[in-house]
Amino acid sequence: MVSMHHRRERGDGLRRAWVALGVGLALWAGSGAVAAADAGVAFKQAIDSLAAGAYWSKPFVENTLSARLVRDWENEYTLAYKAESGRFAGLRIKEVELRCSKRRARDCLLSIDLAEPGPPNMAFVRKFWPQAEPTPASPHSRLSHEYWTIERGPDQISVSNQYDAPRITRVTVALNTQRLQDPLNPPPVPPQPLPPVPENP
């Protein structure tokens, strides 16, 4: 027969086991939250480092992203490169595309598609880019992306996610010597002085 003393010891041991399990789960969840926060900081730092380049070149992008760019296409105005591997903020890259103007060396567009998704999009934007302008995905295309854009002078930086993913899967940085004007919204024409009134003969 099991004594009351042994039963109490067994009950106390069971309670201690449950407490230990609860503490372990809390620590595990907490470490996950810390890891997610660190991932968001690392992601933002990677974007800032990339956008801080005053001048981009094929070697600069290759060294920054550990990628090997190959010439993809070119025309009279643009030279484009692509890569199908690399690393960004510790994450594997699926594809990189770099387009640079032949007329203005600094004018480049860099698009990074991630094989491993980045931090949660909404959490990242709310914490680091609260001033970002959102553009929703098109409801008519499953390939459309929702994205958020910030402007730093004439430069633009965007992060986006695929239609079925809550995490960032694409980073786009556009370095522009001067802000491109929207042809549908041209800058206002400054007022011109009225012609002089002719004198009476």
Side-chain angles (χ1 to χ4, degrees):
M1 174 179 283
V2 178
S3 68
M4 293 296 294
H5 176 71
H6 288 153
R7 288 181 182 178
R8 281 196 300 270
E9 285 186 347
R10 189 165 56 186
D12 291 342
L14 187 60
R15 280 193 294 272
R16 284 194 293 268
W18 278 110
V19 169
L21 178 60
V23 171
L25 290 174
L27 291 174
W28 177 80
S31 64
V34 171
D38 290 343
V41 171
F43 203 81
K44 182 180 182 298
Q45 290 175 344
I47 292 175
D48 291 342
S49 297
L50 194 61
Y55 174 78
W56 282 358
S57 64
K58 177 175 177 285
F60 170 77
V61 174
E62 287 182 329
N63 291 333
T64 303
L65 301 180
S66 301
R68 183 177 178 274
L69 294 170
V70 296
R71 184 172 296 191
D72 188 36
W73 58 269
E74 68 176 302
N75 56 28
E76 182 181 354
Y77 308 100
T78 307
L79 178 59
Y81 299 92
K82 269 194 176 181
E84 295 183 351
S85 63
R87 308 285 295 187
F88 180 78
L91 302 171
R92 288 185 299 110
I93 290 175
K94 179 180 179 181
E95 184 176 271
V96 178
E97 183 176 22
L98 173 66
R99 300 182 188 181
C100 290
S101 169
K102 290 183 176 181
R103 298 187 176 184
R104 292 188 294 271
R106 188 183 182 276
D107 288 11
C108 292
L109 175 69
L110 179 67
S111 179
I112 303 170
D113 285 319
L114 298 171
E116 296 178 273
N121 45 23
M122 293 304 301
F124 178 85
V125 171
R126 286 172 180 166
K127 182 173 182 179
F128 299 108
W129 287 6
Q131 76 281 22
E133 298 181 3
T135 301
S138 170
H140 306 294
S141 173
R142 288 176 60 84
L143 299 179
S144 176
H145 287 237
E146 180 178 19
Y147 60 93
W148 293 263
T149 303
I150 63 169
E151 298 179 350
R152 296 179 179 173
D155 303 335
Q156 292 182 324
I157 309 172
S158 299
V159 295
S160 61
N161 60 285
Q162 294 177 340
Y163 68 93
D164 59 350
R167 293 178 174 267
I168 296 172
T169 55
R170 176 178 292 173
V171 177
T172 304
V173 184
L175 299 183
N176 300 309
T177 303
Q178 56 188 1
R179 180 67 52 80
L180 299 177
Q181 294 293 341
D182 185 347
L184 298 180
N185 295 287
V189 178
Q192 300 296 322
L194 296 175
V197 177
E199 297 180 359
N200 292 330

